Amino acid sequence: MSRSKPIHPDLLSMARRGDIAGIETIKLIILATPRSVTAEVVDVLFENMTMCPVPPLSDLKRETLKMYKGTLTAIPPALCISLFWSIVTTKACMKPGVKTAVVANILEHDGAFCRWIQFSMRSGLPSLPGEELGNSFGTNQKRFPLQAQLLIKLLALDESLCEALLSSDPFIDLFLELWCGEASRNENGIMRVIDLSTEHECPIISLAHTFVQTDASLEVFLSRCSGKTLRQEFLQCLLDRVIRGDTGSNIHTMGWALSLLKLVELADRLWTSSSAYRQAFHKTLFLPHFCRAWRTVTSFFAQDLEGCAKIRFMLCLPTMIRMLSMAIADPARHLHKNWRILGGGGFLESFFQSIFTLEDRVWDAVWPGVIQNLATLLAYPALVHPTCFGDITIIEVKISSPMNVAYWNVFARAWSRAKAASEALVERPPENVCDNPSCDGTAATPKAQLKQCGGCSSVIYCSVRCQEVDWQNWHQKECPHAARVYIDRQHKGMTYDSRTRGSHAALLEVAYAEEARHQYADHSVLPLFSFGWLTDDSGGAHDHLLSSVETYWGRHGTSPASFPQEYLRPRYESLVAEYVAGNYPSGWRLVEGNFPPYGDEKAIYVTALLKPAGSGYRTICCIARFKY
């Protein structure tokens, strides 16, 4: 063990005055005898940093870089920072008194400390361990990840220090300097700094992830990065790293998998916590790039599922589920595009194939999250292009638990049903159900000829004749009330429209044809389909995605009276009365569907009158009611 030598007071005085020779001599002594570090040495380093004002970063342009590198006023603080990092990263130096001094000085002087580091990173001054005058590590590609790694180590030093720094504007600015750092420029634009050369995650990505781990630090970060330009730049840097990780060279697959996990978690936290960031996400092509990246990662793990790799893959699954959640939590106008990307990009198929490589105990933890995120999708087939579904029923199921097998069988059948409804919708106009109850044309005209009520935008007709008839019979009284509901829902950003209602009707057609056509010939019974996922107390799945439930008229309170659309009550009761009286042709059936909440809706019921069509059924008219 090296013998500790006290640092002479004259050397400390020289360092305090910013004497370069004094600082470098102290550094040599500490490297030789780490235990010679005292709290006084730490105090001297921070006195030097606070004594010299940090040059404005806005003045740091190319023509002034050389001047700052050579000026005597800028070099001493940079050397003090380098010496500080040497102390923090050397275990023998960090005696209790030294650690206390480190924490106390940073808490008191975090502004000067962070700004000098930021200045040194931008100017290239030697401020990292091992850097010397005239011998820095050079490029951002090497310096920035190392600096991020040092900051992560500093955050782990003390809990109170970590909380203070994550709430510090200068520290956030320092992080943004690293996050937005350029590795290079080419004809495709700026390449951001990312280090994926080892099996460990990129330090810059890890540092970014620390800001979203607690609600308090996330709130401060969102407040600091509230500007529109900065938000967009931050997300673009995130996307650049996804692209570089998936397409770059010298990439360690394990390191990239761990980094991608953190990037998705980061994106998910920003997405769910800030509507401004959610809107900014839409201006980037984040979803297809995330899909391609996950395909690369899952292909790697599928080839090697032993030991550590298998454990890492198990950790990745919740993050993949976050991607599903982000896609389905999007506003309705984006859902169709999102799911087309997920399906067409092969993400969903590879996702299920990946799940089946794992044991039942992993399924027990993962599957409820999958169901929660996909159940709503299966109840809204109009939002999903047929190519998104694929044929997941042919995937080899490698699970043995009877409960998990039952889960999968229910889900696969529901998936097939939603696919059938989606395919049927391809052959129809987007708004495919005429609101005139006496019409049996079922909106066969092209979309350009469809007639929407100009007063309330809530009903649609296949012809002018149908619009005139329904106006005289029903809609003349409904229109003012419907207009108020429509305006209220538009103000709240709700998007349940005639297209979505038509997709629900298509799903009811498929469900009734498959499960209930021979069971409910009695017009005194209303078959109610509940398109949701329920479990009993033992965790078993009820097949409510498929099974119908007998509901006698008036017994379950699903009439419009219990919904904001009270004005629909006469239309609803007339439809029921005509059906019960047998006034519709033989074979026509009235059915009802209870659909899971979508957006801010609390309940959605759709009542549809179906007529036989080929081997199935076709909706004649339907009424949608919803609570919100």
Side-chain angles (χ1 to χ4, degrees), residues 224-237:
R224 186 62 174 173
C225 303
S226 58
K228 181 178 179 181
T229 301
L230 184 55
R231 278 198 308 269
Q232 203 64 45
E233 183 180 11
F234 184 89
L235 294 185
Q236 191 59 53
C237 291

Side-chain angles (χ1 to χ4, degrees), residues 191-342:
M191 307 291 286
R192 307 292 176 176
V193 175
I194 185 171
D195 180 15
L196 299 173
S197 59
T198 70
E199 63 180 4
H200 305 291
E201 61 203 46
C202 174
I204 297 177
I205 295 174
S206 297
L207 183 60
H209 187 262
T210 60
F211 284 97
V212 300
Q213 287 182 312
T214 67
D215 292 338
S217 60
L218 176 60
E219 183 179 356
V220 175
F221 178 80
L222 292 176
S223 176
R224 186 62 174 173
C225 303
S226 58
K228 181 178 179 181
T229 301
L230 184 55
R231 278 198 308 269
Q232 203 64 45
E233 183 180 11
F234 184 89
L235 294 185
Q236 191 59 53
C237 291
L238 188 155
L239 182 59
D240 289 343
R241 287 180 169 87
V242 174
I243 296 172
R244 286 200 64 193
D246 191 45
T247 61
S249 57
N250 192 28
I251 303 296
H252 193 291
T253 309
M254 182 62 73
W256 171 226
L258 297 178
S259 298
L260 181 61
L261 184 149
K262 290 291 179 68
L263 285 171
V264 175
E265 289 181 355
L266 174 62
D268 177 61
R269 283 284 279 165
L270 294 174
W271 176 280
T272 55
S273 303
S274 168
S275 59
Y277 268 91
R278 190 158 51 248
Q279 294 174 5
F281 265 111
H282 294 309
K283 297 180 180 179
T284 68
L285 298 175
F286 75 99
L287 201 57
H289 290 299
F290 271 131
C291 286
R292 282 195 291 270
W294 272 119
R295 219 168 42 243
T296 302
V297 170
T298 53
S299 298
F300 165 74
F301 284 122
Q303 297 170 8
D304 179 18
L305 287 173
E306 298 300 326
C308 183
K310 188 171 185 177
I311 295 174
R312 297 296 190 189
F313 183 56
M314 290 163 56
L315 295 175
C316 289
L317 281 175
T319 308
M320 298 176 75
I321 293 174
R322 281 190 176 93
M323 277 190 59
L324 297 178
S325 178
M326 288 174 66
I328 203 167
D330 214 355
R333 60 184 178 274
H334 300 291
L335 273 174
H336 181 86
K337 178 184 69 176
N338 289 352
W339 282 101
R340 188 166 188 173
I341 290 170
L342 290 178

Side-chain angles (χ1 to χ4, degrees), residues 477-523:
K477 296 179 180 179
E478 299 170 349
C479 190
H481 306 286
R484 284 193 291 270
V485 171
Y486 178 81
I487 293 172
D488 182 41
R489 289 171 58 77
Q490 286 290 101
H491 178 70
K492 295 179 179 179
M494 299 180 181
T495 52
Y496 191 91
D497 53 15
S498 56
R499 179 185 181 189
T500 309
R501 184 191 64 173
S503 76
H504 279 164
L507 197 57
L508 282 170
E509 295 165 11
V510 176
Y512 187 82
E514 289 181 357
E515 302 293 328
R517 64 188 306 167
H518 302 301
Q519 301 178 33
Y520 299 103
D522 184 357
H523 284 200

Side-chain angles (χ1 to χ4, degrees), residues 60 111 140-141 147 209 218 227 245 270 278 294 309 340 349-350 370 380 385 468 500 559 584 589 598-599 611:
L60 198 55
N140 292 350
Q141 183 61 39
Q147 182 63 74
H209 187 262
L218 176 60
L270 294 174
R278 190 158 51 248
W294 272 119
R340 188 166 188 173
E349 185 177 354
S350 63
V370 177
Y380 289 83
H385 194 272
E468 292 173 346
T500 309
S559 71
Y584 291 111
R589 294 290 179 263
Y598 171 53
K611 74 171 184 178

Side-chain angles (χ1 to χ4, degrees), residues 565-588:
Q565 297 79 29
E566 168 68 22
Y567 57 85
L568 289 175
R569 184 182 181 89
R571 182 191 291 264
Y572 178 88
E573 291 183 342
S574 173
L575 178 65
V576 170
E578 290 290 315
Y579 180 73
V580 173
N583 293 336
Y584 291 111
S586 175
W588 288 29

Side-chain angles (χ1 to χ4, degrees), residues 473-627:
N473 293 339
W474 302 108
H475 194 60
Q476 187 173 8
K477 296 179 180 179
E478 299 170 349
C479 190
H481 306 286
R484 284 193 291 270
V485 171
Y486 178 81
I487 293 172
D488 182 41
R489 289 171 58 77
Q490 286 290 101
H491 178 70
K492 295 179 179 179
M494 299 180 181
T495 52
Y496 191 91
D497 53 15
S498 56
R499 179 185 181 189
T500 309
R501 184 191 64 173
S503 76
H504 279 164
L507 197 57
L508 282 170
E509 295 165 11
V510 176
Y512 187 82
E514 289 181 357
E515 302 293 328
R517 64 188 306 167
H518 302 301
Q519 301 178 33
Y520 299 103
D522 184 357
H523 284 200
S524 65
V525 176
L526 171 66
L528 173 64
F529 294 84
S530 184
F531 294 91
W533 183 269
L534 303 176
T535 58
D536 56 29
D537 294 336
S538 63
H542 290 307
D543 197 356
H544 282 258
L545 284 167
L546 302 172
S547 299
S548 57
V549 180
E550 291 186 19
T551 301
Y552 292 87
W553 300 114
R555 190 170 293 183
H556 285 261
T558 59
S559 71
S562 60
F563 288 77
Q565 297 79 29
E566 168 68 22
Y567 57 85
L568 289 175
R569 184 182 181 89
R571 182 191 291 264
Y572 178 88
E573 291 183 342
S574 173
L575 178 65
V576 170
E578 290 290 315
Y579 180 73
V580 173
N583 293 336
Y584 291 111
S586 175
W588 288 29
R589 294 290 179 263
L590 193 65
V591 300
E592 189 163 282
N594 175 13
F595 294 88
Y598 171 53
D600 291 327
E601 278 89 4
K602 296 180 179 178
I604 300 173
Y605 283 87
V606 175
T607 306
L609 180 63
L610 311 180
K611 74 171 184 178
S615 59
Y617 286 85
R618 186 72 163 85
T619 301
I620 296 299
C621 66
C622 65
I623 301 173
R625 299 103 66 205
F626 35 82
K627 289 182 179 179

